[in-house]
Amino acid sequence: MGFARTCSVALVGVEGVVVEVQAGLEPGVAAFTLVGLPDKSLSESRDRVRAAVVNSGGEWPQKKLTVGLSPASVPKGGSGFDLAVACAVLAAAERIDPRRITDLMMFGELGLDGRVRPVRGVLPAVLAAADAGYRHVVVPERTAAEAALVPGVSVLGVRSLRQLIAVLADEPVPEEEEEAPGEGRPDPMLAGLAVPGAGTGALPEECRPDLAEVAGQLRARRALEVAAAGRHHLFFQGPPGAGKTMLAERLPGLLPPLTPQESLEVTAVHSVAGMLPAGQPLIDRAPYCAPHHSASMPSLVGGGSGLPRPGAVSLAHRGVLFLDEAPEFSGRVLDALRQPLESGHVVVARTGGVMRLPAAFLLCLAANPCPCGRHGMTGEGCDCPPRAVRRYLGRLSGPLMDRVDLRVTVEPVARSELTGGTRSEPTAHVAARVRTARERAAARYAGTPWRTNSEVPGHELRTRWRAAPGALAEAERDMERGLLTARGLDRVLRVAWTVADLAGHGRPDEGDVEQALELRTGVQRGAVLAGGWS
């Protein structure tokens, strides 16, 4: 009896489980049995693997063949096991030395002609293999750059099964010409990397929106800067055309570049979701996700049939999740954000399994003041009865809004601001201040699990990093009057630390807390800053 084994990875969300692929040959009627909880696409690998082996010049064993995927209790799906199954079968048939593949991790789909096609989720698969101690991986050539992002792992990218057989058998490696797509046609080899309609294209650096294009809106621009510096959640309310969406679209540009660890986290999520931009194996800038208000619960928090898939909250991990026309979203969908806002991850349970996905995003909400959008405006009357206005804004529940640190009213832009010709401060200047504030916070929290002010528990800020004496007096009075909850007071203190970091203060003083209260409640407490921080 011939026997061989190699390794592949089963993906559960963005986490991988190392799977041992075993192939056994025994006398009997020729048959191919695949066991180990495979799904439909994996069960069909029997036909793909057989055709790929024959068309690669190999001889298919005419014996009873059993391929087992262990651990058998873990559901497995997708076409990424094809390469490992083919090599295990060839090793069991002694076409290649079984010892050569025992410590290899293989991940890739096989075409009927033997070509190795790229699949989604290569990065999290290689990360799981590296964590399990594997140091040599074989992946499709098109995804070799993605796999090489994992340190300490040797990556072999192959175009065809024929090439891999030659490498493992110490034979001359045949040249495989890469088929170029026709003019104006997409590359069919990249079809497996992207979900149709996912919009994976990324804007080049020079085309990204700049804050200098926003006229006026000093208070809202200041709120953007505070939100970026401390990762505080933000709510814009104002009439249509005031610039709420423009401001939100420029928020990702203020965030610092992702750290290497954050880049791997974000890239892994986008790789699994099929939204990794072509030719960009590593995402190093904060992502931006803005789902339509008709989005369902699974599309926002993750889910779907079978094993759940990442939703918008995970695609916005380490970046910005913008919900425009927030009151138009389903109340159940909005309230589902409460748990990831607190924990930084979302746990989705379905019949196909339980999946834990990262979801540490910066939430930005935008809403009109009423259904018609003219409530409170001069020159145009609002047709909405008071009951409709209350019901409209009441769709944003109190528990959700209590988790939003900054609440800003965006007023219509004045004609003088729009036509005055004065250029606003560009994104680059504001982003530099944000980076400086982030560095101050990171230095203060060195040796702790926190890096930004929004992550620090309120107890730590009240005992370990205290504000200046008497600075919290007004905030405490607001809490006594019922204007702030205990969570709200903690969030005011976090925002005050961010304001102090932007101003270069050693700790929050009374003025910093006043600005934090103003940004939290929308009630002006002190003088409006003319520009920058002092």
Side-chain angles (χ1 to χ4, degrees), residues 272-479:
V272 170
M275 297 189 67
L276 196 61
Q280 184 180 344
L282 182 68
I283 297 177
D284 57 0
R285 301 293 303 181
Y288 174 77
C289 190
H292 190 260
H293 59 73
S294 61
S296 63
M297 179 84 75
S299 69
L300 194 67
V301 301
S305 59
L307 282 176
R309 297 186 60 80
V313 296
S314 296
L315 295 174
H317 180 58
R318 303 298 181 186
V320 177
L321 176 65
F322 176 49
L323 302 185
D324 200 4
E325 307 293 346
E328 299 294 345
F329 282 79
S330 163
R332 290 181 60 252
V333 170
L334 290 175
D335 283 338
L337 298 175
R338 288 154 53 179
Q339 184 254 341
L341 285 176
E342 289 290 333
S343 64
H345 63 266
V346 61
V347 178
V348 183
R350 295 291 186 271
T351 55
V354 178
M355 178 177 63
R356 183 182 186 273
L357 290 167
F361 56 89
L362 194 166
L363 177 64
C364 183
L365 302 170
N368 293 328
C370 67
C372 75
R374 298 193 298 269
H375 184 71
M377 293 181 64
T378 58
E380 293 187 59
C382 174
D383 300 327
C384 305
R387 184 178 178 181
V389 175
R390 290 194 302 270
R391 185 169 60 248
Y392 180 75
L393 294 179
R395 296 176 186 173
L396 303 177
S397 68
L400 173 64
M401 293 304 297
D402 202 31
R403 291 166 168 82
V404 178
D405 301 340
L406 314 175
R407 308 172 188 179
V408 179
T409 300
V410 182
E411 302 291 347
V413 180
R415 181 178 62 85
S416 59
E417 294 174 326
L418 193 62
T419 62
T422 303
R423 185 172 175 83
S424 302
E425 195 174 21
T427 293
H429 293 178
V430 181
R433 291 199 297 269
V434 169
R435 282 195 299 270
T436 301
R438 286 275 188 113
E439 290 167 0
R440 290 194 181 104
R444 181 168 60 249
Y445 304 132
T448 71
W450 315 299
R451 289 295 176 267
T452 59
N453 293 316
S454 64
E455 304 172 51
V456 185
H459 172 75
E460 298 289 338
L461 293 179
R462 291 192 302 270
T463 58
R464 188 172 175 182
W465 293 288
R466 294 175 178 271
L472 290 174
E474 188 169 355
E476 291 169 351
R477 285 195 295 270
D478 282 1
M479 184 177 178

